[in-house]
Amino acid sequence: MAFYIPIERRRFFKSMALASAGFTLPGYLAEALTLTPQATQGPFYPLAKNIPLDKDNDLVQLNDNTSPAAGIITYVSGRVLDKNGNPIRGALVELWHADNGGEYTYSDDAPRNPRADANFAGFGQFLTGSSGAYKFRTIKAGLYQGRTRHFHFGITVPGQKSRYTTQLFWNEVAKAADGTTWETTNENDMVLMGIRDAAQRASLIKEFVLVPGTTTGEQETDWDIVMGLTPNEPAYPETPGGSLIVAGIPAPAASGEKERFRVTAPVYAGYSYEIYANPTMGSLGWAALPFALSEAGKVDRNIHTSSAEGSLNFYVERPSVKGFYYVAFRLPDANTGTPGGRAGGPGGFGGPPPGGPRGGGGFGPPGGEEGRPPRPRQEQ
């Protein structure tokens, strides 16, 4: 069965494949790096029921919707680095922000905010590869009362249980829809001005420039995220090379249904699992996929917490060009989507970092005396 990617998304994926070539230098000028400061998560990180099934790094195209999100298409890319400038492999990068009209998809009493753009994902995530690089395609964040224009980012590095949250701002004079100057600016935004260190505050304000060769006003920026946390890359037990890199086996499809691929992985009680594939983006990183838990079941989830130890089948509908999928895991009690102070939302310890069948370790720890993974120690 042919795998069709819409033209806009094909161009996006092509740009990502090309971009990956520019993110290969280690030890990036460590002496000149400024640590990325933490900023509040805010009240609008989506609940688990608000997060789209299609939680990849393209927020413009939601699920199978034929219409893109309204707004100026915007690309943000860079690398996740440690304090010495070395790329961090297996970092979970999350992005969420207001739509073109200033609405978040967050809703406490509905699957998603009914006032938000129905074609806007509102949330995306990406797992970095060996270069530490990430990239998102989204729209220019909308404005809402009390805040200037901003993106929310969450970064969870291997060995950390909760996400590190920060925000990214535009170096601009923000304008309302009627062309008037927006009342909240970078100079009086309470979150930005709450960062007391001037160099760290400046590191969150970026120039967004026009994408060369486009005629629709698309914008882009590069932003390296510099973490002061120390990654810890223990391996998942009883797996070749310590990685959950699993071949996808074609599964029989019912008449008129999409072909599915079965991904089988060892699981542990209380652990939460996600499936990632990398069909078009080279070594840049991994995009999360929705899945079903049975051959004929509905593809209705993008994370699953196992209730028992053993082997579990996951069924996905997106083929992987390389033939294998990457299974990421989060330890019991790690954050799996609840906003606020209770472990800080998704990220957790996640799975081992990409890098092929011998991925070189991961978020999860080695097996204990009974083969069950113990919790690793946290490093600050």
Side-chain angles (χ1 to χ4, degrees), residues 36-373:
T36 299
Q38 188 162 17
T40 178
Q41 175 178 272
F44 300 120
Y45 181 92
L47 296 170
K49 64 182 179 180
N50 308 146
I51 293 176
L53 278 178
D54 183 18
K55 61 172 184 176
D56 60 10
N57 55 334
D58 186 359
L59 283 67
V60 174
Q61 204 76 37
L62 177 61
N63 299 326
D64 293 327
N65 293 11
T66 57
S67 299
I72 298 174
I73 292 178
T74 301
Y75 299 86
V76 57
S77 57
R79 291 174 298 169
V80 180
L81 306 173
D82 66 19
K83 61 184 178 181
N84 297 315
N86 299 307
I88 298 178
R89 175 176 56 183
L92 178 64
V93 184
E94 301 168 276
L95 169 66
W96 69 100
H97 62 88
D99 69 8
N100 189 54
E103 297 283 351
Y104 286 87
T105 57
Y106 169 88
S107 176
D108 190 35
D109 55 5
R112 60 180 277 145
N113 178 4
R115 298 184 301 275
D117 181 354
N119 295 310
F120 177 53
F123 173 91
Q125 72 180 54
F126 194 71
L127 201 64
T128 63
S130 59
S131 65
Y134 72 91
K135 185 167 186 175
F136 288 93
R137 182 175 83 139
T138 186
I139 57 157
K140 190 171 185 177
L143 295 164
Y144 58 92
Q145 187 174 8
R147 294 298 313 276
T148 192
R149 200 182 310 277
H150 63 283
F151 283 152
H152 294 264
F153 275 84
I155 304 96
T156 307
V157 301
Q160 296 296 325
K161 195 166 187 176
S162 60
R163 100 167 71 79
Y164 187 93
T165 58
T166 189
Q167 298 184 22
L168 181 65
F169 298 82
W170 273 251
N171 186 19
E172 65 169 14
V173 177
K175 301 288 185 179
D178 61 3
T180 60
T181 300
W182 192 251
E183 60 183 7
T184 307
T185 67
N186 288 347
E187 285 68 38
N188 62 14
D189 184 275
M190 58 182 178
V191 174
L192 183 58
M193 295 310 295
I195 299 168
R196 297 186 180 277
D197 184 278
Q200 288 189 313
R201 186 167 63 248
S203 73
L204 300 183
I205 304 172
K206 300 296 292 184
E207 296 283 350
F208 286 74
V209 300
L210 292 176
V211 176
T214 64
T215 58
T216 56
E218 296 181 9
Q219 299 181 0
E220 65 181 359
T221 195
D222 291 317
W223 180 46
D224 284 349
I225 302 169
V226 185
M227 305 295 294
L229 303 173
T230 302
N232 178 26
E233 300 187 6
Y236 198 72
E238 301 177 8
T239 56
S243 291
L244 282 172
I245 304 291
V246 182
I249 307 300
S255 177
E257 298 293 329
K258 292 182 179 179
E259 181 181 22
R260 292 187 176 183
F261 300 85
R262 184 180 73 248
V263 178
T264 303
V267 298
Y268 294 87
Y271 282 58
S272 299
Y273 296 87
E274 293 174 305
I275 309 299
Y276 288 78
N278 186 18
T280 58
M281 293 180 284
S283 62
L284 188 60
W286 297 76
L289 301 182
F291 56 86
L293 292 178
S294 66
E295 194 170 286
K298 184 178 180 180
V299 176
D300 62 356
R301 65 195 68 202
N302 44 44
I303 189 168
H304 173 74
T305 301
S306 178
S307 60
E309 185 174 332
S311 180
L312 190 63
N313 292 326
F314 304 88
Y315 294 86
V316 299
E317 292 181 339
R318 184 183 298 180
S320 174
V321 170
K322 295 184 178 181
F324 58 81
Y325 297 82
Y326 173 59
V327 182
F329 65 92
R330 304 180 190 179
L331 292 177
D333 301 324
N335 38 40
T336 55
T338 303
R342 299 184 299 276
F349 288 96
R358 299 190 63 84
F363 285 107
E369 293 179 0
E370 298 177 358
R372 184 184 305 277

